[in-house]
Amino acid sequence: MANPLLRLAEAYVPTWCKKKQVEVLFRITADALESPMPETSRLGYKGLLQSYAAFTSDEVLRLKEGEGFDAAKQRLYDEAYALGQKLRRLLRVGDSDAYRLVALLYKNIEIEIQGSIPGELTVPRCFFSDTYIPEVCEFMSALDNGIIGGICNGGELVFNERITEGSCCCKAVFTA
């Protein structure tokens, strides 16, 4: 039987809930980058998404100029993995519903994802692809790898193609 919470969320996610999701991502990303989070309380959902895209892009590029790039990427992965595990527990998501949760979470941040977990994943549309350059996108994939790995109780996400590198879509493989 399909998870009733996921069924409900797949039908409708209120904007305030999507905004809360972006706020959580913003917080864990700022922590991983050891950067103060900008003031965002007055922003709506779309404004918050745009602010997150600009913040992550600016901060990753700033970090790339200095030291600690790899350590920050590992912190981002670790924070995201813990978040994925927490979501799995709170929403009582089993292995059979892992893909559904991932697809829903990504839809909430304006990323369309298709495929299966484990297996091949395709992202034909990504909100962040207009803002991110390849280096930022590659760094931020630690977030994707961590969240999906946490939801699935382990595994690894490896991208083969990215929109930010000129492909028409992102292609990745998640192995459990």
Side-chain angles (χ1 to χ4, degrees), residues 83-146:
L83 177 60
Q85 287 185 316
K86 183 176 182 179
L87 290 170
R88 180 184 174 98
R89 279 192 314 276
L90 285 173
L91 300 174
R92 298 184 177 144
V93 171
D95 293 341
S96 62
D97 286 326
Y99 170 77
R100 291 176 60 214
L101 176 56
V102 168
L104 175 65
L105 292 172
Y106 280 77
K107 180 180 176 184
N108 290 344
I109 59 169
E110 305 289 324
I111 297 174
E112 182 184 344
I113 192 166
Q114 303 166 347
S116 62
I117 294 175
E120 295 180 9
L121 295 169
T122 301
V123 176
R125 188 180 61 78
C126 175
F127 177 86
F128 302 95
S129 65
D130 289 337
T131 304
Y132 288 175
I133 62 171
E135 295 83 2
V136 173
C137 185
E138 192 275 328
F139 180 91
M140 292 303 295
S141 68
L143 181 76
D144 304 316
N145 191 14

Side-chain angles (χ1 to χ4, degrees), residues 40-53:
T40 61
S41 62
R42 294 178 188 231
L43 297 175
Y45 164 68
K46 287 287 190 176
L48 188 61
L49 265 178
Q50 291 167 341
S51 180
Y52 180 70

Side-chain angles (χ1 to χ4, degrees), residues 1-55:
M1 180 178 186
N3 182 308
L5 289 171
L6 280 178
R7 265 202 328 255
L8 180 63
E10 286 169 333
Y12 175 72
V13 176
T15 303
W16 69 264
C17 192
K18 292 178 187 179
K19 184 178 176 189
K20 186 67 176 171
Q21 180 181 331
V22 179
E23 289 169 350
V24 169
L25 292 177
F26 219 136
R27 201 169 307 111
I28 69 169
T29 305
D31 288 348
L33 293 168
E34 298 179 332
S35 297
M37 193 171 139
E39 174 56 43
T40 61
S41 62
R42 294 178 188 231
L43 297 175
Y45 164 68
K46 287 287 190 176
L48 188 61
L49 265 178
Q50 291 167 341
S51 180
Y52 180 70
F55 171 81

